[in-house]
DNA sequence: TTAGCCTTGACA
DNA sequence: TGTCAAGGCTAA
């Protein structure tokens, strides 16, 4: 086989952290977890946890609680159906092509990491090395946002058994320029459509804080992001995707772009890789939600949800097709969008808030805690200075922004719980950054 | 019961 | 014909 065995076997078992012996029941695991999973399923074993069903499963404690071990096996994605009911030996199963694809991806990832001269020391199962996979230069910006049509995913059929089955509609970006102009008064070097209106930071007005300018410079261009993710989705979408699996794919690629943004951003790139991972593991869902919310505030239309691909979903459709938990999430999200809209939060402020979310000194076991705390203080200072310049008569605005920030946190925690449930019930596509982040956060908690 | 090693057999 | 992911065996 062309793929080096070392690529896959270099990893640790996602259940207990022992050395991986190969693909077993859907993913790379060690020999002992393979055997444990097989015995449990074949013999239909029922375990009971003597504690509170939150036992730590690692190489030294994996024997202590079979209940929690089996739960973890399922949680990381081991597949019950890969255990054969007829106990036939040998041969191949339906997971074969998946294993092959996964191997190829790992091989590609490793080659890229090596080619770029980046560190290849053992990273956790989370695809942190994905950072390097997606660092190729962005495609050229579409300079004409009105005539530019995103690659159409409109033909995708929507599964009626999907929890939320809204109708897809193609968005025509007639409001793109207008909204961008309204909100972008800044940033030399920013690739986003900029306005001729210099805003409060005209040559004769106050200077925009340097740090805010830098944050906006780090921000990815919306149109480039849109075309990049649309192209990825067209390439990767399965034959008959459900709405939910499509949204997961979208979220996954948005997450990759967020990680890429962080990796190349001021301050963050100065951190050690361990701290970078801890920060990202801790706030990925907040950044994902912030990305979505900011898109609605800056570019969205009333009554619609604007997706990263440029497509729109009608809010009324989402509400009518979604289950209770999704509908409540969407409702709270909309309220947050309205608050931010009312506060006229602009791109600069969103850029600052992103950094506030990322540099969270409350994350445990940070090596460079002091630096991260100082960055957070600097970001807060820059944001305060900026808001005082843009709205000097609205002294409470900064406090309102911080309140929105905490609402974002609580909302993202809910969204993450929802995703975890969906993942446990096998509805979230596996082997992507989204699920890896879910695992990482759960295993840190 | 666990976990390491062995055997089997479809597939490239 | 080699590979590798199934199930089986067995010492600890």
């Amino acid at each position: 086989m062309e793929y080096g065995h070392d690529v896959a076997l270099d990893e640790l078992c996602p259940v207990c952290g022992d050395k991986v012996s190969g693909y077993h029941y859907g993913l790379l695991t060690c020999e002992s977890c393979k055997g444990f999973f097989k015995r449990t399923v074949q013999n239909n074993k029922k375990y009971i946890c003597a504690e509170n069903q939150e036992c730590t499963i690692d190489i030294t404690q994996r024997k202590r609680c079979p209940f929690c071990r089996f739960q973890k096996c399922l949680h990381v994605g081991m597949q019950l159906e890969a255990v054969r009911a007829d106990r036939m030996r040998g041969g191949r199963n339906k997971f074969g092509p998946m294993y092959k694809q996964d191997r190829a991806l790992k091989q590609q990832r490793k080659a890229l990491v090596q080619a770029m001269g980046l560190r290849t020391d053992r990273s956790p199962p989370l695809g942190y090395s994905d950072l390097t996979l997606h660092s190729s230069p962005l495609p050229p910006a579409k300079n004409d946002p009105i005539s530019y049509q995103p690659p159409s995913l409109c033909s995708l059929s929507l599964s009626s058994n999907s929890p939320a089955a809204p109708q897809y509609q193609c968005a025509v970006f007639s409001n793109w320029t207008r909204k961008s102009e309204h909100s972008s008064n800044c940033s030399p070097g920013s690739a986003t459509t900029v306005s001729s209106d210099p805003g409060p930071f005209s040559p004769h007005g106050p200077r925009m804080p340097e740090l805010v300018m830098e944050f906006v410079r780090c921000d990815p261009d919306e149109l480039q992001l849109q075309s990049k993710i649309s192209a990825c989705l067209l390439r990767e979408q399965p034959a008959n995707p459900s709405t939910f699996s499509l949204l997961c794919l979208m979220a996954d690629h948005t997450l990759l772009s967020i990680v890429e943004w962080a990796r190349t951003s001021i301050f963050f790139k100065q951190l050690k890789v361990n701290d970078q991972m801890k920060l990202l593991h801790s706030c990925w869902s907040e950044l994902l939600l912030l990305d979505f919310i900011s898109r609605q505030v800056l570019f969205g239309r009333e009554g619609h949800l604007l997706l990263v691909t440029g497509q729109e979903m009608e809010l009324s459709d989402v509400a009518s097709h979604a289950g209770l938990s999704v509908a409540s999430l969407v409702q709270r999200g909309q309220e947050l969008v309205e608050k931010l809209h009312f506060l006229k939060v602009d791109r600069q402020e969103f850029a600052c808030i992103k950094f506030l979310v990322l540099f969270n000194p409350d994350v445990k076991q940070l090596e460079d805690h002091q630096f991260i705390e100082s960055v957070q203080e600097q970001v807060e200072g820059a944001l305060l200075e900026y808001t005082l310049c843009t709205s000097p008569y609205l002294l409470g605005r900064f406090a309102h922004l911080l309140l929105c920030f905490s609402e974002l946190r609580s909302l993202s925690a809910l969204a993450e719980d929802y995703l975890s449930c969906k993942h446990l019930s096998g509805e979230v596509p596996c082997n992507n950054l989204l699920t890896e982040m879910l695992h990482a956060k759960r295993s840190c908690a």
Side-chain angles (χ1 to χ4, degrees):
Chain A
M1 187 71 67
E2 209 172 302
Y3 320 115
H5 215 148
D6 56 323
V7 178
L9 300 186
D10 199 31
E11 291 190 12
L12 301 178
C13 174
V15 181
C16 68
D18 200 353
K19 191 174 176 297
V20 152
S21 68
Y23 286 91
H24 306 295
Y25 309 111
L27 69 158
L28 285 167
T29 71
C30 67
E31 197 61 27
S32 69
C33 288
K34 165 200 154 187
F36 170 77
F37 189 77
K38 178 183 71 176
R39 286 193 303 274
T40 304
V41 179
Q42 279 183 340
N43 304 325
N44 195 22
K45 286 178 181 296
K46 304 284 178 231
Y47 308 115
I48 294 171
C49 177
E51 302 289 326
N52 54 357
Q53 306 189 349
E54 291 175 350
C55 305
T56 305
I57 304 297
D58 59 28
I59 192 166
T60 57
Q61 301 179 76
R62 64 190 177 195
K63 290 188 205 169
R64 281 194 188 170
C65 179
F67 177 90
C68 291
R69 189 182 188 182
F70 188 59
Q71 289 305 307
K72 195 166 178 192
C73 285
L74 294 173
H75 183 76
V76 300
M78 292 184 83
Q79 304 290 324
L80 293 167
E81 62 264 35
V83 180
R84 295 171 186 165
D86 58 5
R87 299 202 165 196
M88 195 193 78
R89 299 173 77 179
R92 289 277 188 273
N93 62 17
K94 64 175 180 177
F95 296 102
M98 197 180 87
Y99 297 149
K100 192 178 169 187
Q101 191 185 19
D102 192 58
R103 267 212 185 82
L105 271 171
K106 285 182 201 304
Q107 179 75 15
Q108 189 186 23
R109 224 177 259 186
K110 190 180 178 187
L112 269 163
V113 170
Q114 283 174 344
M116 295 180 75
L118 293 172
R119 50 187 309 156
T120 54
D121 46 346
R122 190 183 293 261
S123 55
L126 165 87
Y128 188 76
S129 48
D130 281 7
L131 307 190
T132 53
L133 256 186
H134 297 264
S135 54
S136 55
L138 288 165
K142 312 284 180 190
N143 291 326
D144 181 359
I146 295 176
S147 62
Y148 167 59
Q149 291 287 323
S152 173
L153 294 162
C154 306
S155 56
L156 299 173
S157 60
L158 294 167
S159 151
S160 55
N161 60 7
S162 165
Q167 294 210 311
Y168 268 76
Q169 295 183 337
C170 281
V172 178
F173 280 84
S174 54
N175 63 338
W176 192 281
T177 315
R178 179 177 52 79
K179 288 267 186 161
S180 296
E181 281 176 357
H182 174 74
S183 57
S184 299
N185 49 22
C186 57
S187 117
S190 161
T192 303
T193 315
V194 288
S195 160
S196 55
D197 171 16
F201 298 102
S202 66
H204 311 293
R207 260 186 92 238
M208 187 191 305
E210 291 271 345
L211 212 46
V212 178
M213 284 169 64
E214 180 57 34
F215 292 159
V216 176
R217 258 198 294 272
C218 296
D219 233 13
D221 177 73
E222 181 70 17
L223 283 175
Q224 283 185 350
L225 189 65
Q226 180 191 323
S227 67
K228 185 180 169 186
I229 292 185
S230 298
C232 290
L233 289 185
L234 275 180
R235 210 170 44 238
E236 293 174 19
Q237 57 177 298
N240 292 305
S242 68
T243 308
F244 182 73
S245 67
L246 254 182
L247 291 176
C248 284
L249 202 55
M250 247 179 238
D252 190 49
H253 282 285
T254 310
L255 206 47
L256 283 165
S257 78
I258 287 171
V259 171
E260 179 61 22
W261 156 79
R263 196 181 66 85
T264 52
S265 283
I266 181 172
F267 299 134
F268 193 81
K269 55 188 174 190
Q270 291 170 242
L271 288 171
K272 287 181 185 161
V273 173
N274 277 344
D275 277 354
Q276 291 185 340
M277 289 196 299
K278 281 175 193 151
L279 290 181
L280 279 171
H281 286 165
S282 135
C283 73
W284 64 269
S285 59
E286 290 161 40
L287 288 173
L288 201 53
L289 184 64
L290 180 60
D291 179 83
F292 185 78
I293 297 270
S294 64
R295 183 166 299 107
Q296 311 313 309
V297 175
L298 297 176
F299 310 114
R301 280 198 300 155
E302 207 174 324
H304 295 78
L305 290 180
L306 178 59
L307 306 179
V308 66
T309 50
Q311 294 166 297
E312 285 184 320
M313 290 159 73
E314 284 196 35
L315 259 176
S316 52
D317 281 338
V318 178
S320 60
H321 287 92
L324 266 179
S325 49
V326 175
S328 144
L329 270 173
V330 171
Q331 166 76 25
R332 281 183 64 180
Q334 268 316 105
E335 286 166 11
L336 184 55
V337 168
E338 280 163 24
K339 271 184 217 163
L340 293 165
H341 227 287
F342 178 76
L343 289 170
K344 291 190 170 61
V345 177
D346 62 19
R347 187 168 170 234
Q348 288 75 357
E349 288 164 327
F350 276 120
C352 293
I353 295 171
K354 272 169 80 171
F355 274 83
L356 276 185
V357 171
L358 183 60
F359 283 87
N360 178 7
D362 295 333
V363 173
K364 286 171 191 161
Q365 296 177 317
L366 288 168
E367 285 179 43
D368 215 343
H369 179 267
Q370 209 170 2
F371 174 72
I372 289 158
E373 197 165 47
S374 84
V375 170
Q376 199 200 41
E377 284 167 10
Q378 286 182 67
V379 180
E380 273 181 3
L383 179 59
L384 177 62
E385 190 183 344
Y386 180 85
T387 55
L388 287 176
C389 287
T390 51
S391 4
Y393 306 109
L394 297 170
L395 290 175
R397 192 164 172 279
F398 181 70
H400 279 295
L401 275 182
L402 294 184
L403 278 177
C404 290
F405 176 33
S406 60
E407 168 67 2
L408 177 87
R409 278 208 166 140
S410 102
L411 211 48
S412 76
L414 284 177
E416 213 178 292
D417 286 344
Y418 171 76
L419 261 183
S420 291
C421 290
K422 297 291 274 184
H423 179 48
L424 283 176
S425 62
E427 291 172 71
V428 177
C430 287
N431 296 322
N432 58 23
L433 190 56
L434 192 65
T435 47
E436 285 175 359
M437 284 292 196
L438 273 171
H439 292 162
K441 192 151 185 179
R442 289 294 180 270
S443 55
C444 300

